[in-house]
Amino acid sequence: MKKLTAILLSAMLLITMAISVSAKADISGLAKGGYTAYPLFDEAGLYTEGVTIYRKDGTTLTDADIQACMGKGWDANALKDANGNYELIVWSNAGHYAFGQGVRLISDSTVDADGKFASPVVEIVFTGTGIRLGTCYRTDDFGEPEVVVEIDGVEVETDPFLLWADWADDTTPTIFFETEGLENTTHTVRVSAIGEVEWDWFEIRGTLGEDSGGDTYVEPSTEPPATNPPVTDPATTETPATEPTATTDAPATAPNHTAEATDPAPVTTDDADTTKPAPANTGLIIAILAIVAVIVVVVIVILKKKK
């Protein structure tokens, strides 16, 4: 018995571990027509096409740099700048992320000579008409972080409130920036942080990379298809010719005919009322019979048990 119990507990533990590892955040509720979601990099640590991450000093974070942090715990998965301050954290096997991996961008706490907060930059190149940025992790521990978004070299307006959380470890999938209606051509989007921002997926309406297929999505029509009534020729009617009423010298009253010779005999039936009776509700009858049958079976079972 003890051996069987141990086997069952072990099986339950393995199932729980498998579920916890494979679980990922569900972002399907945020889906938007024409958009496709992608991670910044895949579970092997390879960049998604068109994506590049730059460190504070402008150097490129390579695939090898990302892979060196994959599967590591806290601090071993972090990168520091020249001053020893954290600037990037690479997360992997994170169940609260849409694809299981993502980054935390960390800016300097003070502005530089240009009045900007030095921060790592994520660059996305795509061809299309729209882009959305999403996160599955916000926390009040970060205070009130913001993102700076540039599209084709021009900074655009963002809503910082979308990144703020009222409690710790808020894993509600959230779109924190989106824009659409762009020209259907290649665009370069650069995103940096003010404070600490976790980011794990983006969506584009178009295709990844430069000069690719672009946005070919066609919005489904919400209007019913137009129908033209069939063309019909106007009906032509002719007034029927009427003959003049013939006049005769016959007397105004017709002679009487005997009933036996001319009137048909009345049809008689056994029932005085010739209307059809309402059909019986066979469905109701069957249901009643079924209930009665069940009751009979139950009674028989009870009586056998008493014997």
Side-chain angles (χ1 to χ4, degrees), residues 20-28 30-31 35-46 48 51 70 91-103 132-137 171 173 175 199-204 208:
S20 63
V21 170
S22 61
K24 294 177 182 177
D26 182 9
I27 60 174
S28 60
L30 299 174
Y35 284 83
T36 304
Y38 301 94
L40 299 175
F41 49 88
D42 64 20
E43 57 189 8
L46 301 175
T48 296
V51 178
M70 298 285 286
W91 298 111
S92 58
N93 298 325
H96 62 276
Y97 278 166
F99 292 89
Q101 56 276 344
V103 297
R132 311 170 82 204
L133 311 180
T135 181
C136 291
Y137 184 80
T171 56
I175 297 293
W199 179 16
D200 60 302
W201 100 89
F202 67 98
E203 302 175 11
I204 59 170
L208 297 167

Side-chain angles (χ1 to χ4, degrees), residues 147-227:
V147 288
V148 178
V149 179
E150 293 181 2
I151 300 178
D152 301 329
V154 178
E155 185 174 336
V156 296
E157 185 177 358
T158 62
D159 184 354
F161 293 100
L162 297 174
L163 283 168
W164 298 357
D166 295 327
W167 59 86
D169 302 328
D170 183 352
T171 56
T172 306
T174 302
I175 297 293
F176 61 87
F177 174 81
E178 64 180 311
T179 185
E180 55 188 4
L182 302 172
E183 183 181 355
N184 193 14
T185 187
T186 300
H187 302 283
T188 300
V189 179
R190 292 172 61 87
V191 183
S192 57
I194 299 177
E196 298 185 35
V197 174
E198 293 227 2
W199 179 16
D200 60 302
W201 100 89
F202 67 98
E203 302 175 11
I204 59 170
R205 179 165 167 160
T207 46
L208 297 167
E210 186 175 357
D211 295 327
S212 50
D215 179 12
T216 59
Y217 180 74
V218 178
E219 294 284 358
S221 176
T222 57
E223 297 181 359
T227 56

